[in-house]
Amino acid sequence: MNGKSVQGSSLVAFMATGSGLAVASNYYAQPLLPLFAQHFGVSTVQAGLIVTISQIGYILGLIFLVPLGDRLERRGLLTVTSSLTALALLGMALSPTFHVLIVMATLAGLTSVTAQIIVPLSAHLAAPERRGRTVRR
Protein backbone atom coordinates (compact mmCIF):
# COMPACT_ATOMS: atom_id res chain seq x y z
CA MET A 1 0.00 0.00 0.00
CA ASN A 2 3.03 2.32 0.00
CA GLY A 3 2.01 3.79 3.34
CA LYS A 4 -1.12 5.38 1.87
CA SER A 5 -4.70 4.32 2.39
CA VAL A 6 -8.13 5.61 1.57
CA GLN A 7 -8.95 7.81 4.54
CA GLY A 8 -12.42 9.09 5.31
CA SER A 9 -15.58 9.10 3.34
CA SER A 10 -14.73 12.24 1.34
CA LEU A 11 -12.12 10.48 -0.80
CA VAL A 12 -14.39 7.48 -1.25
CA ALA A 13 -17.23 9.85 -2.27
CA PHE A 14 -14.89 11.62 -4.69
CA MET A 15 -13.86 8.32 -6.27
CA ALA A 16 -17.49 7.19 -6.47
CA THR A 17 -18.43 10.46 -8.18
CA GLY A 18 -15.59 9.99 -10.64
CA SER A 19 -16.79 6.48 -11.40
CA GLY A 20 -20.34 7.67 -12.01
CA LEU A 21 -19.25 10.52 -14.28
CA ALA A 22 -16.98 8.21 -16.26
CA VAL A 23 -19.77 5.72 -16.90
CA ALA A 24 -22.25 8.52 -17.64
CA SER A 25 -20.02 9.82 -20.43
CA ASN A 26 -21.36 6.94 -22.54
CA TYR A 27 -24.89 8.29 -22.17
CA TYR A 28 -24.59 12.09 -22.35
CA ALA A 29 -25.39 12.04 -26.08
CA GLN A 30 -28.67 10.12 -25.84
CA PRO A 31 -31.02 13.04 -25.10
CA LEU A 32 -29.22 15.08 -27.77
CA LEU A 33 -29.69 12.63 -30.65
CA PRO A 34 -32.50 14.61 -32.34
CA LEU A 35 -30.34 17.75 -32.17
CA PHE A 36 -27.36 15.88 -33.63
CA ALA A 37 -29.54 14.58 -36.46
CA GLN A 38 -30.82 18.08 -37.22
CA HIS A 39 -27.43 19.80 -36.90
CA PHE A 40 -25.49 17.31 -39.03
CA GLY A 41 -28.34 16.61 -41.48
CA VAL A 42 -28.50 12.89 -40.77
CA SER A 43 -31.42 10.61 -39.97
CA THR A 44 -32.31 9.78 -36.39
CA VAL A 45 -31.18 6.22 -37.09
CA GLN A 46 -27.76 7.48 -38.13
CA ALA A 47 -27.63 9.75 -35.08
CA GLY A 48 -28.35 6.68 -32.94
CA LEU A 49 -25.02 5.28 -34.13
CA ILE A 50 -23.36 7.76 -31.77
CA VAL A 51 -24.60 5.79 -28.76
CA THR A 52 -23.98 2.41 -30.39
CA ILE A 53 -20.43 3.22 -31.40
CA SER A 54 -19.67 4.64 -27.96
CA GLN A 55 -20.82 1.35 -26.40
CA ILE A 56 -18.60 -0.58 -28.83
CA GLY A 57 -15.70 1.67 -27.78
CA TYR A 58 -16.54 0.91 -24.16
CA ILE A 59 -16.39 -2.83 -24.81
CA LEU A 60 -13.01 -2.40 -26.50
CA GLY A 61 -11.82 -0.38 -23.50
CA LEU A 62 -12.90 -3.19 -21.18
CA ILE A 63 -10.96 -5.67 -23.28
CA PHE A 64 -7.80 -3.65 -23.94
CA LEU A 65 -7.46 -0.86 -21.34
CA VAL A 66 -8.79 -2.28 -18.06
CA PRO A 67 -6.28 -5.18 -18.02
CA LEU A 68 -3.50 -2.59 -18.13
CA GLY A 69 -4.43 -1.81 -14.51
CA ASP A 70 -2.77 -5.09 -13.56
CA ARG A 71 0.44 -4.15 -15.38
CA LEU A 72 0.68 -0.37 -14.98
CA GLU A 73 0.40 1.94 -12.02
CA ARG A 74 -3.36 2.52 -11.64
CA ARG A 75 -3.21 6.20 -10.68
CA GLY A 76 -1.32 7.02 -13.86
CA LEU A 77 -3.68 4.93 -15.96
CA LEU A 78 -6.62 6.63 -14.25
CA THR A 79 -5.19 10.05 -15.04
CA VAL A 80 -4.64 9.14 -18.69
CA THR A 81 -8.08 7.58 -19.23
CA SER A 82 -9.86 10.45 -17.45
CA SER A 83 -7.97 13.05 -19.45
CA LEU A 84 -8.58 11.27 -22.73
CA THR A 85 -12.29 10.91 -21.95
CA ALA A 86 -12.51 14.64 -21.24
CA LEU A 87 -10.68 15.44 -24.49
CA ALA A 88 -12.91 13.07 -26.47
CA LEU A 89 -16.05 14.68 -25.00
CA LEU A 90 -14.64 18.11 -25.89
CA GLY A 91 -13.94 16.76 -29.37
CA MET A 92 -17.56 15.63 -29.61
CA ALA A 93 -18.73 19.09 -28.61
CA LEU A 94 -16.54 20.73 -31.24
CA SER A 95 -17.02 18.17 -34.03
CA PRO A 96 -17.33 19.91 -37.39
CA THR A 97 -18.76 16.83 -39.13
CA PHE A 98 -20.79 13.78 -38.23
CA HIS A 99 -17.84 11.50 -39.02
CA VAL A 100 -15.61 13.36 -36.57
CA LEU A 101 -18.39 13.10 -33.99
CA ILE A 102 -18.51 9.32 -34.48
CA VAL A 103 -14.74 9.04 -34.04
CA MET A 104 -14.84 11.16 -30.88
CA ALA A 105 -17.76 9.10 -29.51
CA THR A 106 -15.71 5.94 -30.09
CA LEU A 107 -12.75 7.42 -28.23
CA ALA A 108 -14.98 8.64 -25.40
CA GLY A 109 -16.45 5.16 -25.04
CA LEU A 110 -13.03 3.51 -25.23
CA THR A 111 -11.55 5.63 -22.46
CA SER A 112 -14.65 5.81 -20.24
CA VAL A 113 -13.61 2.59 -18.51
CA THR A 114 -12.23 4.76 -15.73
CA ALA A 115 -14.76 3.33 -13.27
CA GLN A 116 -13.31 -0.14 -13.76
CA ILE A 117 -9.91 1.29 -12.82
CA ILE A 118 -11.13 3.35 -9.85
CA VAL A 119 -12.81 0.44 -8.03
CA PRO A 120 -9.69 -1.77 -7.78
CA LEU A 121 -7.60 1.30 -6.98
CA SER A 122 -9.89 2.22 -4.09
CA ALA A 123 -9.71 -1.36 -2.79
CA HIS A 124 -5.92 -1.24 -3.07
CA LEU A 125 -5.72 2.06 -1.19
CA ALA A 126 -8.13 1.04 1.57
CA ALA A 127 -6.93 -0.44 4.80
CA PRO A 128 -7.38 -4.24 4.74
CA GLU A 129 -10.19 -4.14 7.29
CA ARG A 130 -12.10 -1.51 5.22
CA ARG A 131 -11.70 -2.90 1.69
CA GLY A 132 -15.11 -4.52 1.43
CA ARG A 133 -16.88 -1.47 2.80
CA THR A 134 -14.94 0.89 0.52
CA VAL A 135 -15.75 -1.02 -2.66
CA ARG A 136 -19.38 -1.60 -1.67
CA ARG A 137 -20.13 2.11 -1.29
Side-chain angles (χ1 to χ4, degrees), residues 22-44:
V23 171
S25 67
N26 282 325
Y27 303 99
Y28 294 142
Q30 283 184 352
L32 302 173
L33 293 178
L35 295 174
F36 287 136
Q38 181 183 15
H39 179 77
F40 290 108
V42 297
S43 71
T44 54

Side-chain angles (χ1 to χ4, degrees), residues 26-31 33 46-57 102 105:
N26 282 325
Y27 303 99
Y28 294 142
Q30 283 184 352
L33 293 178
Q46 288 173 307
L49 289 174
I50 297 166
V51 176
T52 303
I53 201 73
S54 126
Q55 292 296 315
I56 291 169
I102 291 291

